[in-house]
Amino acid sequence: MAIKAAAVGVAVVAIIAAIIMGPSAFLVGDIGISGSNNLTVDGVVMPSQINTSGTLQNFIGGGLRMKWGFKVYVVGIYSDPKVMTSLKKKYSGFGANGSNLSDLATDFSKSKPAKTVLLRFQRGVAASDISDALGEALKPKVGAATSDDFQKFILDMVGGDRLEKGSDIYITCKGEKLSASLTGGKDASSISIKGLCPAIFEVYLGDKAVSPQAKKGFAEGVAAIMSS
């Protein structure tokens, strides 16, 4: 049975309902809960919780990354509950279409507790294409040198020429330390460059977000958390 609602971001409510009522599927817009408390984002199964950098993190929101009309990957944004507890104090009453979304996204991006961008690929892509695209999005925020360092870091972490459909990249920030992994935090590589961590999240949540769907899902997820 599926229960549909207007807002994507109220996935938090569906998670709680699924925990209480069992593994029946709860759909909320394009985000839903399937068995074992997994989420579906635009039909793609995503975990409702992850554990990276030694920290359990909850799903906040997400959406598709499109390029030239093709589905490239689904983005999931996760964080240590401490992040949302802190933001809830400052942005009580936040609405998904509120004018303070930019400020909230900036504060989220700069927060020190663990937070993660999970990329789940929906088509096979060259590893260099992904590292180049991320590097280009970062360059205006951190400069060419840091962007180039990050591109090389991602290529070395992937360790191959391609990312096949269904592959994951977990990018976790905790303080200034950025860790990346293909396996949910296991065997993670890490790098520490001042300003890199906030910039990574601004790529997805900033004024020129590369995935408007993911930014919208994040905003609606935060609004649902704020109202709970």
Side-chain angles (χ1 to χ4, degrees):
M1 177 180 180
I3 301 176
K4 292 189 176 181
V8 174
V10 290
V12 174
V13 177
I15 294 171
I16 295 170
I19 292 171
I20 295 172
M21 300 177 68
S24 299
F26 288 81
L27 292 181
V28 188
D30 292 324
I31 297 180
I33 291 290
S34 57
S36 303
N37 300 330
N38 283 326
L39 294 156
T40 58
V41 180
D42 291 298
V44 177
V45 175
M46 302 284 278
S48 61
Q49 291 184 320
I50 59 173
N51 194 325
T52 64
S53 294
T55 304
L56 187 67
Q57 300 163 56
N58 296 328
F59 177 87
I60 298 174
L64 276 171
R65 167 68 165 120
M66 304 286 291
K67 187 75 170 178
W68 298 312
F70 294 103
K71 298 178 180 180
V72 183
Y73 54 77
V74 167
V75 183
I77 308 290
Y78 298 78
S79 78
D80 184 328
K82 293 177 183 176
V83 177
M84 297 312 303
T85 298
S86 176
L87 292 179
K88 194 170 185 178
K89 294 176 183 177
K90 184 175 180 180
Y91 295 95
S92 177
F94 170 81
N97 298 314
S99 59
N100 55 353
L101 172 58
S102 180
D103 291 339
L104 184 147
T106 296
D107 285 347
F108 179 88
S109 299
K110 291 181 176 179
S111 62
K112 299 302 183 184
K115 52 193 179 294
T116 296
V117 175
L118 168 56
L119 312 180
R120 182 154 288 178
F121 287 85
Q122 299 309 294
R123 60 190 302 109
V125 294
S128 59
D129 287 347
I130 293 301
S131 65
D132 289 351
L134 290 172
E136 283 301 309
L138 280 170
K139 194 173 292 183
K141 307 177 189 306
V142 295
T146 296
S147 172
D148 290 346
D149 287 345
F150 180 75
Q151 286 179 242
K152 184 178 185 303
F153 168 75
I154 289 295
L155 279 176
D156 290 345
M157 185 276 297
V158 171
D161 294 333
R162 287 184 64 78
L163 286 156
E164 300 301 335
K165 181 178 179 180
S167 298
D168 293 335
I169 292 181
Y170 292 75
I171 302 175
T172 298
C173 284
K174 194 172 185 177
E176 291 288 350
K177 182 179 179 181
L178 182 148
S179 301
S181 169
L182 302 176
T183 55
K186 300 175 182 177
D187 303 320
S189 302
S190 63
I191 187 173
S192 294
I193 301 176
K194 186 174 178 61
L196 178 58
C197 275
I200 287 291
F201 285 87
E202 288 169 6
V203 165
Y204 293 97
L205 304 177
D207 292 338
K208 296 182 179 180
V210 299
S211 171
Q213 296 97 320
K215 181 177 178 178
K216 181 175 184 286
F218 170 83
E220 292 178 342
V222 169
I225 293 169
M226 296 293 184
S227 65
S228 64

